[in-house]
Short mmCIF file of all heavy atoms in Angstrom, two decimals:
data_model
loop_
_atom_site.label_atom_id
_atom_site.label_comp_id
_atom_site.label_asym_id
_atom_site.label_seq_id
_atom_site.Cartn_x
_atom_site.Cartn_y
_atom_site.Cartn_z
N LEU A 81 17.56 -21.02 17.63
CA LEU A 81 17.35 -20.12 16.50
C LEU A 81 17.00 -20.91 15.24
O LEU A 81 17.71 -21.83 14.87
CB LEU A 81 18.60 -19.28 16.28
CG LEU A 81 18.47 -18.03 15.40
CD1 LEU A 81 17.42 -17.08 15.97
CD2 LEU A 81 19.81 -17.34 15.29
N THR A 82 15.91 -20.55 14.59
CA THR A 82 15.50 -21.20 13.34
C THR A 82 15.38 -20.14 12.26
O THR A 82 15.37 -18.93 12.53
CB THR A 82 14.15 -21.90 13.50
OG1 THR A 82 13.14 -20.90 13.74
CG2 THR A 82 14.18 -22.90 14.64
N LEU A 83 15.24 -20.59 11.02
CA LEU A 83 15.11 -19.67 9.90
C LEU A 83 13.83 -18.85 10.03
O LEU A 83 13.83 -17.64 9.75
CB LEU A 83 15.12 -20.44 8.58
CG LEU A 83 15.08 -19.60 7.30
CD1 LEU A 83 16.28 -18.66 7.24
CD2 LEU A 83 15.05 -20.49 6.07
N ASP A 84 12.74 -19.46 10.47
CA ASP A 84 11.48 -18.73 10.62
C ASP A 84 11.59 -17.63 11.68
O ASP A 84 11.09 -16.52 11.49
CB ASP A 84 10.36 -19.71 11.00
CG ASP A 84 9.93 -20.58 9.83
OD1 ASP A 84 10.20 -20.19 8.68
OD2 ASP A 84 9.35 -21.66 10.08
N ILE A 85 12.25 -17.96 12.80
CA ILE A 85 12.46 -16.95 13.85
C ILE A 85 13.32 -15.81 13.32
O ILE A 85 13.05 -14.63 13.56
CB ILE A 85 13.10 -17.58 15.09
CG1 ILE A 85 12.10 -18.50 15.80
CG2 ILE A 85 13.60 -16.50 16.06
CD1 ILE A 85 12.69 -19.25 16.98
N ALA A 86 14.37 -16.15 12.57
CA ALA A 86 15.27 -15.13 12.01
C ALA A 86 14.52 -14.21 11.06
O ALA A 86 14.69 -12.99 11.08
CB ALA A 86 16.44 -15.81 11.30
N LYS A 87 13.66 -14.78 10.20
CA LYS A 87 12.88 -13.97 9.27
C LYS A 87 11.95 -13.02 10.02
O LYS A 87 11.77 -11.87 9.63
CB LYS A 87 12.07 -14.87 8.34
CG LYS A 87 12.90 -15.57 7.27
CD LYS A 87 12.02 -16.44 6.38
CE LYS A 87 12.83 -17.09 5.28
NZ LYS A 87 11.99 -17.97 4.42
N GLU A 88 11.36 -13.53 11.10
CA GLU A 88 10.47 -12.70 11.90
C GLU A 88 11.22 -11.54 12.55
O GLU A 88 10.76 -10.39 12.54
CB GLU A 88 9.80 -13.55 12.97
CG GLU A 88 8.84 -12.79 13.86
CD GLU A 88 8.24 -13.65 14.97
OE1 GLU A 88 8.35 -14.90 14.86
OE2 GLU A 88 7.70 -13.09 15.92
N GLN A 89 12.40 -11.82 13.08
CA GLN A 89 13.19 -10.80 13.74
C GLN A 89 13.75 -9.77 12.76
O GLN A 89 13.97 -8.61 13.13
CB GLN A 89 14.34 -11.45 14.52
CG GLN A 89 13.91 -12.25 15.73
CD GLN A 89 13.22 -11.36 16.77
OE1 GLN A 89 13.77 -10.36 17.21
NE2 GLN A 89 11.99 -11.72 17.12
N LEU A 90 14.00 -10.19 11.53
CA LEU A 90 14.56 -9.29 10.53
C LEU A 90 13.51 -8.78 9.55
O LEU A 90 13.84 -8.29 8.48
CB LEU A 90 15.68 -10.00 9.75
CG LEU A 90 16.88 -10.48 10.57
CD1 LEU A 90 17.88 -11.19 9.66
CD2 LEU A 90 17.56 -9.31 11.28
N SER A 91 12.24 -8.88 9.93
CA SER A 91 11.16 -8.53 9.01
C SER A 91 11.23 -7.09 8.53
O SER A 91 10.88 -6.78 7.40
CB SER A 91 9.80 -8.80 9.67
OG SER A 91 9.67 -8.04 10.87
N ASP A 92 11.70 -6.18 9.40
CA ASP A 92 11.81 -4.77 9.00
C ASP A 92 12.80 -4.59 7.87
O ASP A 92 12.65 -3.68 7.04
CB ASP A 92 12.24 -3.91 10.19
CG ASP A 92 11.14 -3.79 11.23
OD1 ASP A 92 9.98 -4.10 10.90
OD2 ASP A 92 11.44 -3.40 12.37
N SER A 93 13.83 -5.43 7.84
CA SER A 93 14.85 -5.32 6.80
C SER A 93 14.50 -6.13 5.56
O SER A 93 14.77 -5.73 4.43
CB SER A 93 16.20 -5.80 7.35
OG SER A 93 16.59 -5.01 8.44
N ILE A 94 13.88 -7.30 5.81
CA ILE A 94 13.56 -8.18 4.68
C ILE A 94 12.28 -7.74 4.00
O ILE A 94 12.13 -7.85 2.79
CB ILE A 94 13.41 -9.65 5.17
CG1 ILE A 94 14.72 -10.13 5.77
CG2 ILE A 94 12.99 -10.56 4.02
CD1 ILE A 94 14.62 -11.49 6.42
N GLY A 95 11.33 -7.20 4.77
CA GLY A 95 10.04 -6.84 4.22
C GLY A 95 9.29 -8.09 3.80
O GLY A 95 9.37 -9.13 4.43
N SER A 96 8.59 -8.01 2.70
CA SER A 96 7.82 -9.15 2.22
C SER A 96 8.60 -9.99 1.23
O SER A 96 8.07 -10.91 0.64
CB SER A 96 6.52 -8.65 1.55
OG SER A 96 5.73 -7.95 2.49
N ASN A 97 9.83 -9.65 0.97
CA ASN A 97 10.67 -10.43 0.08
C ASN A 97 11.19 -11.63 0.86
O ASN A 97 12.12 -11.52 1.63
CB ASN A 97 11.84 -9.56 -0.42
CG ASN A 97 12.69 -10.30 -1.42
OD1 ASN A 97 12.57 -11.49 -1.62
ND2 ASN A 97 13.58 -9.53 -2.05
N GLU A 98 10.58 -12.79 0.67
CA GLU A 98 10.86 -13.95 1.51
C GLU A 98 12.32 -14.39 1.45
O GLU A 98 12.87 -14.88 2.40
CB GLU A 98 9.96 -15.13 1.08
CG GLU A 98 8.51 -14.97 1.50
CD GLU A 98 8.38 -14.94 3.02
OE1 GLU A 98 8.95 -15.79 3.70
OE2 GLU A 98 7.69 -14.04 3.52
N SER A 99 12.94 -14.24 0.30
CA SER A 99 14.33 -14.69 0.17
C SER A 99 15.31 -13.69 0.72
O SER A 99 16.46 -14.01 0.99
CB SER A 99 14.66 -14.95 -1.31
OG SER A 99 14.65 -13.73 -2.03
N GLY A 100 14.85 -12.41 0.84
CA GLY A 100 15.78 -11.38 1.28
C GLY A 100 16.68 -10.89 0.16
O GLY A 100 17.53 -10.05 0.36
N ILE A 101 16.52 -11.43 -1.06
CA ILE A 101 17.37 -11.09 -2.19
C ILE A 101 16.65 -10.08 -3.08
O ILE A 101 15.51 -10.32 -3.52
CB ILE A 101 17.75 -12.33 -3.01
CG1 ILE A 101 18.46 -13.35 -2.11
CG2 ILE A 101 18.62 -11.95 -4.19
CD1 ILE A 101 18.71 -14.67 -2.80
N ILE A 102 17.27 -8.97 -3.36
CA ILE A 102 16.70 -7.94 -4.22
C ILE A 102 17.28 -8.12 -5.62
O ILE A 102 18.49 -8.26 -5.79
CB ILE A 102 17.02 -6.54 -3.68
CG1 ILE A 102 16.36 -6.35 -2.31
CG2 ILE A 102 16.55 -5.46 -4.65
CD1 ILE A 102 16.78 -5.08 -1.60
N THR A 103 16.41 -8.12 -6.62
CA THR A 103 16.85 -8.27 -8.00
C THR A 103 16.68 -6.97 -8.77
O THR A 103 15.90 -6.09 -8.38
CB THR A 103 16.05 -9.37 -8.71
OG1 THR A 103 14.67 -8.96 -8.81
CG2 THR A 103 16.13 -10.69 -7.93
N VAL A 104 17.38 -6.85 -9.89
CA VAL A 104 17.23 -5.68 -10.75
C VAL A 104 15.81 -5.62 -11.30
O VAL A 104 15.22 -4.53 -11.44
CB VAL A 104 18.26 -5.73 -11.90
CG1 VAL A 104 17.97 -4.63 -12.92
CG2 VAL A 104 19.68 -5.56 -11.36
N GLU A 105 15.24 -6.76 -11.57
CA GLU A 105 13.86 -6.82 -12.08
C GLU A 105 12.89 -6.18 -11.09
O GLU A 105 11.98 -5.42 -11.48
CB GLU A 105 13.48 -8.27 -12.34
CG GLU A 105 12.08 -8.44 -12.95
CD GLU A 105 11.72 -9.89 -13.20
OE1 GLU A 105 12.53 -10.77 -12.83
OE2 GLU A 105 10.64 -10.13 -13.75
N THR A 106 13.06 -6.48 -9.80
CA THR A 106 12.21 -5.88 -8.77
C THR A 106 12.38 -4.37 -8.74
O THR A 106 11.42 -3.61 -8.65
CB THR A 106 12.56 -6.48 -7.40
OG1 THR A 106 12.29 -7.86 -7.39
CG2 THR A 106 11.75 -5.81 -6.29
N ILE A 107 13.62 -3.92 -8.80
CA ILE A 107 13.90 -2.48 -8.77
C ILE A 107 13.26 -1.79 -9.97
O ILE A 107 12.64 -0.72 -9.85
CB ILE A 107 15.43 -2.24 -8.75
CG1 ILE A 107 16.02 -2.73 -7.43
CG2 ILE A 107 15.76 -0.76 -8.97
CD1 ILE A 107 17.52 -2.74 -7.39
N GLN A 108 13.38 -2.39 -11.15
CA GLN A 108 12.78 -1.80 -12.35
C GLN A 108 11.26 -1.68 -12.22
O GLN A 108 10.68 -0.67 -12.60
CB GLN A 108 13.14 -2.66 -13.57
CG GLN A 108 14.60 -2.58 -13.96
CD GLN A 108 14.98 -3.59 -15.04
OE1 GLN A 108 14.29 -4.60 -15.22
NE2 GLN A 108 16.06 -3.31 -15.75
N LYS A 109 10.63 -2.71 -11.67
CA LYS A 109 9.18 -2.70 -11.52
C LYS A 109 8.73 -1.62 -10.53
O LYS A 109 7.80 -0.85 -10.81
CB LYS A 109 8.70 -4.08 -11.02
CG LYS A 109 7.19 -4.20 -10.88
CD LYS A 109 6.52 -4.20 -12.25
CE LYS A 109 5.02 -4.55 -12.14
NZ LYS A 109 4.25 -3.43 -11.59
N VAL A 110 9.42 -1.53 -9.38
CA VAL A 110 9.05 -0.55 -8.36
C VAL A 110 9.26 0.87 -8.87
O VAL A 110 8.39 1.75 -8.69
CB VAL A 110 9.85 -0.79 -7.07
CG1 VAL A 110 9.66 0.37 -6.09
CG2 VAL A 110 9.44 -2.10 -6.42
N VAL A 111 10.40 1.13 -9.51
CA VAL A 111 10.69 2.48 -10.02
C VAL A 111 9.72 2.86 -11.13
O VAL A 111 9.22 3.99 -11.19
CB VAL A 111 12.15 2.56 -10.52
CG1 VAL A 111 12.40 3.90 -11.21
CG2 VAL A 111 13.13 2.38 -9.36
N SER A 112 9.40 1.90 -12.00
CA SER A 112 8.45 2.18 -13.09
C SER A 112 7.07 2.53 -12.55
O SER A 112 6.42 3.48 -13.01
CB SER A 112 8.35 0.97 -14.02
OG SER A 112 9.58 0.72 -14.67
N ASP A 113 6.62 1.77 -11.56
CA ASP A 113 5.31 2.05 -10.95
C ASP A 113 5.31 3.42 -10.28
O ASP A 113 4.31 4.18 -10.36
CB ASP A 113 4.97 0.97 -9.92
CG ASP A 113 4.63 -0.36 -10.57
OD1 ASP A 113 4.43 -0.38 -11.80
OD2 ASP A 113 4.59 -1.37 -9.85
N TYR A 114 6.40 3.76 -9.62
CA TYR A 114 6.50 5.03 -8.90
C TYR A 114 6.38 6.21 -9.86
O TYR A 114 5.74 7.23 -9.56
CB TYR A 114 7.82 5.09 -8.14
CG TYR A 114 8.01 6.32 -7.27
CD1 TYR A 114 7.52 6.36 -5.97
CD2 TYR A 114 8.68 7.42 -7.76
CE1 TYR A 114 7.70 7.48 -5.17
CE2 TYR A 114 8.87 8.56 -6.98
CZ TYR A 114 8.37 8.58 -5.69
OH TYR A 114 8.55 9.70 -4.90
N TYR A 115 7.01 6.08 -11.04
CA TYR A 115 7.01 7.19 -12.02
C TYR A 115 5.93 7.02 -13.08
O TYR A 115 5.88 7.79 -14.06
CB TYR A 115 8.39 7.30 -12.68
CG TYR A 115 9.41 7.95 -11.77
CD1 TYR A 115 10.30 7.18 -11.04
CD2 TYR A 115 9.47 9.34 -11.65
CE1 TYR A 115 11.24 7.77 -10.21
CE2 TYR A 115 10.41 9.94 -10.82
CZ TYR A 115 11.29 9.15 -10.09
OH TYR A 115 12.21 9.74 -9.27
N ASN A 116 5.08 5.98 -12.90
CA ASN A 116 3.95 5.76 -13.81
C ASN A 116 4.42 5.60 -15.27
O ASN A 116 3.88 6.20 -16.20
CB ASN A 116 2.94 6.91 -13.71
CG ASN A 116 1.59 6.53 -14.30
OD1 ASN A 116 1.23 5.36 -14.35
ND2 ASN A 116 0.85 7.53 -14.77
N ILE A 117 5.45 4.80 -15.45
CA ILE A 117 5.93 4.45 -16.79
C ILE A 117 6.04 2.92 -16.85
O ILE A 117 5.94 2.24 -15.83
CB ILE A 117 7.29 5.09 -17.11
CG1 ILE A 117 8.35 4.63 -16.09
CG2 ILE A 117 7.19 6.61 -17.15
CD1 ILE A 117 9.76 5.15 -16.39
N SER A 118 6.26 2.39 -18.04
CA SER A 118 6.40 0.94 -18.17
C SER A 118 7.87 0.54 -18.03
O SER A 118 8.77 1.37 -18.24
CB SER A 118 5.89 0.47 -19.54
OG SER A 118 6.72 0.96 -20.57
N VAL A 119 8.09 -0.73 -17.71
CA VAL A 119 9.47 -1.23 -17.60
C VAL A 119 10.17 -1.14 -18.95
O VAL A 119 11.36 -0.81 -19.03
CB VAL A 119 9.48 -2.69 -17.07
CG1 VAL A 119 10.89 -3.25 -17.13
CG2 VAL A 119 8.95 -2.75 -15.66
N SER A 120 9.44 -1.40 -20.02
CA SER A 120 10.06 -1.32 -21.36
C SER A 120 10.50 0.11 -21.68
O SER A 120 11.54 0.33 -22.30
CB SER A 120 9.07 -1.82 -22.42
OG SER A 120 7.88 -1.04 -22.42
N GLU A 121 9.72 1.10 -21.23
CA GLU A 121 10.12 2.50 -21.42
C GLU A 121 11.36 2.81 -20.58
O GLU A 121 12.27 3.52 -21.03
CB GLU A 121 8.98 3.44 -21.02
CG GLU A 121 7.83 3.48 -22.00
CD GLU A 121 6.72 4.37 -21.53
OE1 GLU A 121 6.30 4.24 -20.36
OE2 GLU A 121 6.26 5.23 -22.32
#
């Protein structure tokens, strides 16, 4: 078992976030884009 194999097997959960770590900044950007507003708003 290697890290690359693990990432491949968990790709559905990790998605394209290589570190697997979700930040508040990411959440703010995704939610803002979804509602068509800016992060500052």
Side-chain angles (χ1 to χ4, degrees):
L81 195 58
T82 65
L83 184 59
D84 287 339
I85 290 175
K87 286 180 178 179
E88 181 183 345
Q89 290 298 305
L90 299 179
S91 59
D92 290 344
S93 300
I94 298 173
S96 299
N97 184 349
E98 286 297 312
S99 67
I101 302 173
I102 297 171
T103 65
V104 171
E105 184 180 3
T106 297
I107 293 171
Q108 290 172 338
K109 183 69 171 74
V110 170
V111 173
S112 296
D113 289 347
Y114 184 86
Y115 284 98
N116 197 26
I117 60 177
S118 67
V119 173
S120 60
E121 286 178 311

